[in-house]
Amino acid sequence: MLKVENLSVSYGAIAAVKKVDIEVREGELVTLLGANGAGKTTTLLAIAGVLRNSGKILFRDREISHWSPEKVAHAGIAMVPETRDVFADLTVLENLRLGAFTRRKDTQGCEKDLAGMFELFPILEERRTQPAGTLSGGEQQQLVIARALMSRPQLLLLDEPSMGLAPAIVDKIFDYIARLKQTGLTILLVEQNARKALTCADRAYVLALGEVAASGSAREISESSDLAALYLGG
Amino acid sequence: MTGQIVQFGIDALSLGSLYALMALGLVIVYGILKLVNFAYGELVMVTGYTLFLLNGSPLPWLVMALVAVIIAILTGISTELVAFKPVREKSVTAVLITSFAFSTLLQNFVLLFISPRARQVPLPDIFTQTVELAGVIVPLRNLLTIACAFIMLGLFSWALKKTVLGIALRAAASQFRMARMLGVPANLIITTAFAISGLFAGVVGILWLGRIGSVVPGIGLEPLLVAFIATVIGGMRSLQGAVVGGFLLAFVDVSLNYLLPQHLLQFRDAFTFSFVILFLLMKPDGLIPGPASGERT
Ligand SMILES: Nc1ncnc2c1ncn2[C@@H]1O[C@H](COP(=O)(O)OP(=O)(O)OP(=O)(O)O)[C@@H](O)[C@H]1O
Ligand SMILES: [Mg+2]
């Protein structure tokens, strides 16, 4: 479904991602691991159309390397960014409505999905008229995941959904991710929490200094102990 | 006494209405692009000259005014196309210069093809009529200004809350990149912001001309300055701030008009600016700092 070939991204003189190849097949949950600064976020942002890049990004056999973020969104790729980026002064409900911007004509479907999101994340329904900026970190994370899902994406890019959250909430988030995978959604998940990510992923890539240092099935990656020591923090 | 209060109230409210609309027109673009449009005042100028050029045409005045506002909107959109779009991703300084350049270009065009001197614009009688309210004579145009502003502010805030485009505009003002990642087209948002800016400037232009009766090439400087100061007072990041800042600035201006002795009245602006400086020393972020905003795009 997604094929990244020879992707390189640099910020001025700094080459953050160098000749990276990644593939995500339909229905798969692929995780992208690596230490801080390895280039994970950069890779996701390039796929989302935000960063200028060289190389090839193919989505459903169409080259999207140089598409604008809005065009990528319309093609069916949704992003949950590391920085969360809730629209702080918009209400929870408005944030969710905007998540469905690409399919706003389908009002009935949107209302139905909204109800679905509230079922999945009850706290959001409780907070629906509250400005999103006043939510706690964990609630904001639920909101941005729900916001991304409102577009009914074909591919979901998740950047460190567990960052800064209490262990109980982290478990809950991974629970949601596992459930999403069961619905058949294709997911590319970036995580610091390698062990957790590997338990729910099909395959994994390990980035180091902007390059793919290892790749394979989730089991292979978690079993190779030297990798763990080197890149996954033991 | 009540008469004086009514008089003061209407003066302050009507000037405040104008200032608030001016400020909103400036801040709507600033909110999205984090850039000040220095050609903003020329939107008011364009409105004035359109009205002047239509003078003597068989059109009813309301249609002339409508055409003038439409021209202001189109000029706003062309500001974006000519001055902003080509350079806005490169540097802030570049946009500063191109928007100044566009402003100068428009002014010089008028100087060259129309005249450096003031030109009368057609105005219906309503702008010169007066009514009696609580024993005081009030110019009808002041009431008209207040009504216009409240209708526009009401419609605008309704549209921002209830329409998808309005919600998208607000979202883009706080996290432009994220809004784009949800599929909101950047160009649509930016063009809309400039069009709204033109709409406000056009309406302000009509009401402003209703007060002064004629148009000169430099007419845009004062609205730009007022809008800029009002937004700084109110807080550059929020729309409510711009409105509050506009009314506050007008309140100060009108108070000075009433309080200053005759021989100091010509220095009113010096007093106003002193107030603004003192105010900013105490509240450097303005009255309503607004949400922490995303990066410039
Ligand atoms: N806007 C930027 N300007 C300059 N350099 C940047 C920028 N963003 C990221 N970098 C650099 O690019 C490299 C990769 O950053 P990236 O954010 O992709 O890492 P990451 O793998 O997501 O790390 P983390 O786990 O800490 O989120 C880093 O060395 C970082 O310093
Ligand atoms: Mg990152």
Side-chain angles (χ1 to χ4, degrees), chain A residues 11 14 16 34-43 82 159-160 190 192:
Chain A
Y11 298 102
I14 308 162
N36 287 119
K40 307 180 295 293
T41 298
T42 306
T43 305
E82 177 177 44
D159 198 350
E160 303 210 29
V190 163
Q192 285 288 328

Side-chain angles (χ1 to χ4, degrees), chain A residues 190-204:
Chain A
V190 163
E191 259 299 332
Q192 285 288 328
N193 196 332
R195 205 155 290 119
K196 276 222 156 6
L198 286 168
T199 53
C200 61
D202 298 307
R203 290 187 305 113

Side-chain angles (χ1 to χ4, degrees), chain A residues 45 48 50 52 68-70 73-74 77 79 81 83-91 94 98-99 101-102 104 147, chain B residues 89 160-162 164-165 167-168 170-172 174-188 291-292:
Chain A
L45 288 175
V50 170
R52 240 168 248 163
S68 64
E70 47 267 40
H74 280 273
I77 299 181
M79 168 80 141
T83 41
R84 296 199 185 122
D85 298 352
V86 296
F87 302 115
D89 55 339
L90 270 62
T91 64
E94 287 170 333
L98 213 55
F101 185 85
T102 53
R104 61 191 178 284
R147 183 179 65 185
Chain B
E89 266 148 38
L160 281 179
K161 286 214 178 74
K162 297 295 173 199
V164 179
L165 189 58
I167 296 174
R170 281 159 59 215
S174 76
Q175 302 277 359
F176 198 38
R177 189 177 84 181
M178 188 63 228
R180 295 185 68 184
M181 286 198 281
L182 294 178
V184 177
N187 284 332
L188 173 72

